[in-house]
Amino acid sequence: MTQHLADALPTSTGTQPGWWREAVIYQVYPRSFADSNGDGMGDLEGIRSRLPYLKELGVDAVWLSPFYASPQADAGYDVADYRAIDPMFGTLHDADAVIREAHELGLRIIVDLVPNHCSDQHEWFKQALREGPGTPLRERFHFRPGQGADGSEPPNDWESIFGGPAWTRVADGEWYLHLFAPEQPDFNWEHPAVQDEFRSILRFWLDLGADGFRIDVAHGLVKAPGLPDLGRDEQLKLLGNQVLPFFDQDGVHEIYRSWRLVLDEYAGDRIGVAEAWTPSADRTAMYLRPDELHQAFNFHYLNTGWDAEALRATIDESLDSMRPVGAPTTWVLSNHDVVRHRTRFGTLERARAAALLMLALPGSAYVYQGEELGLPEVVDLPDEVRQDPSFFKANGQDGLRDGCRVPIPWSGDQAPYGFGTGGSWLPQPAEWAGLSVEAQTGDPESTLELYRSALRVRRAHPALGAGDGVEWLPAPAGVLAFRRGDFVCTVNTTDEPVRLPAPGTLLLASGDLADLADPADPDVLPADCTVWWQG
């Protein structure tokens, strides 16, 4: 593969207010990023030591997945104390150091907040169990009597996202709701104490310097009154397709209006980002009205395949839905919960082309750690090393999340490839030696250098970054072509070269453009390739 970066680029003359409107945000999964103490587990000091790499990569902000005190029943998404750091990751001093050094480098830090549920080791929940039925602490969760003559049946038919019933019975006979693992009891957001506590948690991290929050299960906080039965099984298949009694209830919006007031108390454009699985882009946009949150993950785009017609429809729907609320559209290809897009799309060529398409679209983009290295999903992890709780549940998720969480390779030709000195908590493939940061740095054909080049162009070109629309250009079947000012992007999603007149001066390409350099045949767009043009 070869790529080309034009020597002369237009220079951006200014930035639009609201850094989040065009930011490229890099997701760090702490246990798999960098290990500073040789215990095989990534940590905050490891993250701090690698911040210069992220600055050089060219991202604007770093989103840190949970590092709170936790029994780790679900990789930290079961929080026992929202104001403490789990010892495996370090200390509160280490978190402060990450935030301070990031700011010194011009990077912003987004903290992952988990408000739908906590750990069953949270002091509130432990006290609720001790105090028994009808006591005040139980009102902060969803405790209910069971059904049937002896109360031995769950209070309703809701299913856990991880499989099995969404209810667990305790020794005194009551049941509590957990939409995820039994170790993750759901908060009752109708209770004022829950609302007050989380506004306090927001202020704790904002005072420490956090630039914003990624809000886990943002759609799940409010449940339908009476907790009605859904009336069918295999409920996970409905996620993101229908409004469910436990997801995307209208009452969540009042919560985020109150959070916006807190965020706006602080200088520096602090933001809230919703992880909101909704039935439509229009429903997602409701989280981003001017008095609510700033961004939401675009799962509709993430779930779109490598098909020009489908991609265009999703792009149009995404932009059209955000425009009325004045919010930026976000674009994402991979994260810690889905199969890496190189594997989903089938080839590295498609993954590289998809990355250039994503970074050319108007709005903000998310990069998951390791995608800039072209890492594939690890699909052959032995059962005995897996840790994803959904792997151990019947009828839940497919249990393949471990495959995208394998620690990333930094250097060397043997595992753990510079991740640390004491191995890695999940085994790394032997073939990753050639995909390390060290192996790819300076290689103009590498995926890492493609990302670095793309992010330089995106930052420098005034037509890229923030925006709310594209101008579609005529193109053959299987090809996307659009203009943004004097910038043009062409994308061939087919497995054959196509003829398309060059729309300007070549800026950057995801694949081999030898054909384009042939004076006798200059108008060939290679298979599975994206090209950026100065038009």
Side-chain angles (χ1 to χ4, degrees):
M1 298 177 187
T2 59
Q3 57 208 36
H4 177 78
L5 179 65
D7 295 328
L9 285 172
T11 301
S12 180
T13 57
T15 58
Q16 180 173 344
W19 62 271
W20 67 89
R21 294 185 175 276
E22 58 187 1
V24 176
I25 300 173
Y26 186 97
Q27 181 189 357
V28 166
Y29 193 68
R31 62 175 57 205
S32 299
F33 192 65
D35 171 19
S36 70
N37 60 8
D39 66 356
M41 188 73 65
D43 48 47
L44 289 170
E45 174 57 23
I47 294 169
R48 188 202 60 76
S49 71
R50 297 293 188 177
L51 288 173
Y53 164 78
L54 298 179
K55 175 66 174 179
E56 182 183 2
L57 181 61
V59 300
D60 302 292
V62 181
W63 153 31
L64 301 175
S65 291
F67 46 67
Y68 308 107
S70 166
Q72 303 295 320
D74 184 24
Y77 283 91
D78 51 317
V79 180
D81 187 341
Y82 290 86
R83 297 177 181 85
I85 306 300
D86 194 282
M88 76 163 60
F89 297 126
T91 66
L92 196 58
H93 175 77
D94 295 327
D96 178 69
V98 169
I99 294 171
R100 289 180 182 274
E101 185 155 335
H103 288 170
E104 290 172 2
L105 291 170
L107 297 169
R108 298 177 188 263
I109 294 292
I110 295 174
V111 174
D112 211 323
L113 189 62
V114 188
N116 178 71
H117 49 261
C118 63
S119 166
D120 61 357
Q121 298 305 302
H122 191 285
E123 282 302 319
W124 281 8
F125 191 76
K126 291 195 296 183
Q127 186 175 346
L129 291 181
R130 289 194 299 267
E131 292 185 355
T135 54
L137 263 294
R138 291 215 172 183
E139 295 177 2
R140 300 181 186 185
F141 301 91
H142 294 278
F143 278 91
R144 296 290 187 276
Q147 298 189 85
D150 58 355
S152 62
E153 296 297 322
N156 68 19
D157 67 356
W158 294 0
E159 296 174 355
S160 164
I161 300 301
F162 290 160
W167 297 89
T168 290
R169 198 178 194 188
V170 300
D172 56 45
E174 284 201 325
W175 298 71
Y176 68 88
L177 176 68
H178 54 86
L179 291 179
F180 292 84
E183 297 88 351
Q184 295 169 293
D186 280 37
F187 284 114
N188 174 17
W189 272 88
E190 303 293 334
H191 199 290
V194 175
Q195 300 177 28
D196 290 344
E197 170 68 355
F198 273 89
R199 283 191 290 265
S200 174
I201 292 167
L202 291 176
R203 289 190 174 94
F204 177 87
W205 288 103
L206 292 168
D207 288 342
L208 201 64
D211 297 287
F213 301 90
R214 178 264 188 186
I215 303 162
D216 185 60
V217 197
H219 54 291
L221 277 56
V222 173
K223 279 66 175 177
L227 309 184
D229 283 341
L230 193 55
R232 59 163 292 175
D233 55 10
E234 297 187 318
Q235 296 168 13
L236 183 62
K237 294 181 179 179
L238 305 178
L239 181 60
N241 299 311
Q242 296 184 23
V243 176
L244 302 172
F246 45 80
F247 280 163
D248 196 32
Q249 296 291 304
D250 289 340
V252 298
H253 300 291
E254 189 59 38
I255 296 169
Y256 298 130
R257 291 187 186 98
S258 74
W259 286 19
R260 181 60 178 263
L261 294 175
V262 175
L263 293 169
D264 288 349
E265 292 174 8
Y266 290 79
D269 287 336
R270 315 296 180 97
I271 72 167
V273 182
E275 183 211 27
W277 289 90
T278 67
S280 69
D282 289 338
R283 291 289 299 183
T284 301
M286 294 177 67
Y287 291 76
L288 307 180
R289 288 171 289 194
D291 60 347
E292 295 190 42
L293 301 175
H294 300 77
Q295 287 187 354
F297 288 107
N298 190 345
F299 292 113
H300 302 284
Y301 185 75
L302 184 150
N303 289 328
T304 302
W306 187 240
D307 174 84
E309 184 176 358
L311 284 164
R312 176 168 174 169
T314 300
I315 292 167
D316 282 341
E317 180 189 22
S318 300
L319 292 168
D320 290 347
S321 65
M322 295 299 132
R323 201 174 295 117
V325 296
T329 306
T330 65
W331 313 99
V332 60
L333 294 169
S334 289
N335 64 34
H336 66 290
D337 281 334
V338 299
V339 173
R340 286 186 177 274
H341 67 274
R342 171 177 173 176
T343 299
R344 291 202 322 273
F345 291 157
T347 67
L348 178 60
E349 290 76 13
R350 289 179 176 177
R352 289 162 58 97
L356 282 199
L357 168 59
M358 175 183 75
L359 293 172
L361 293 169
S364 178
Y366 281 78
V367 174
Y368 177 51
Q369 65 177 41
E371 75 171 71
E372 78 277 13
L373 305 176
L375 297 185
E377 185 82 359
V378 180
V379 297
D380 57 355
L381 289 170
D383 290 355
E384 59 268 21
V385 306
R386 291 188 178 275
Q387 299 191 27
D388 183 354
S390 65
F391 178 75
F392 302 99
K393 299 287 186 179
N395 303 318
Q397 294 178 348
D398 57 19
L400 292 179
R401 297 186 304 173
D402 286 323
C404 65
R405 299 175 178 183
V406 174
I408 65 174
W410 291 95
S411 60
D413 57 7
Q414 291 184 342
Y417 307 115
F419 170 70
T421 59
S424 60
W425 68 281
L426 286 174
Q428 301 155 300
E431 57 269 24
W432 277 19
L435 298 176
S436 72
V437 173
E438 179 183 65
Q440 296 194 46
T441 295
D443 178 356
E445 297 186 357
S446 72
T447 300
L448 176 57
E449 294 299 345
L450 175 67
Y451 269 77
R452 286 172 169 166
S453 296
L455 292 172
R456 283 198 300 270
V457 176
R458 180 184 164 97
R459 186 180 295 273
H461 202 298
L464 293 177
D468 64 1
V470 300
E471 176 191 353
W472 293 107
L473 304 175
V479 175
L480 298 174
F482 62 84
R483 177 183 298 277
R484 298 184 63 196
D486 57 357
F487 170 90
V488 175
C489 178
T490 56
V491 186
N492 181 6
T493 67
T494 74
D495 57 5
E496 296 290 340
V498 297
R499 307 191 68 80
L500 187 71
T505 303
L506 177 65
L507 289 176
L508 187 64
S510 67
D512 191 342
L513 295 186
D515 290 333
L516 289 174
D518 183 355
D521 194 11
D523 298 332
V524 174
L525 184 60
D528 293 321
C529 183
T530 296
V531 184
W532 290 2
W533 309 88
Q534 175 65 31

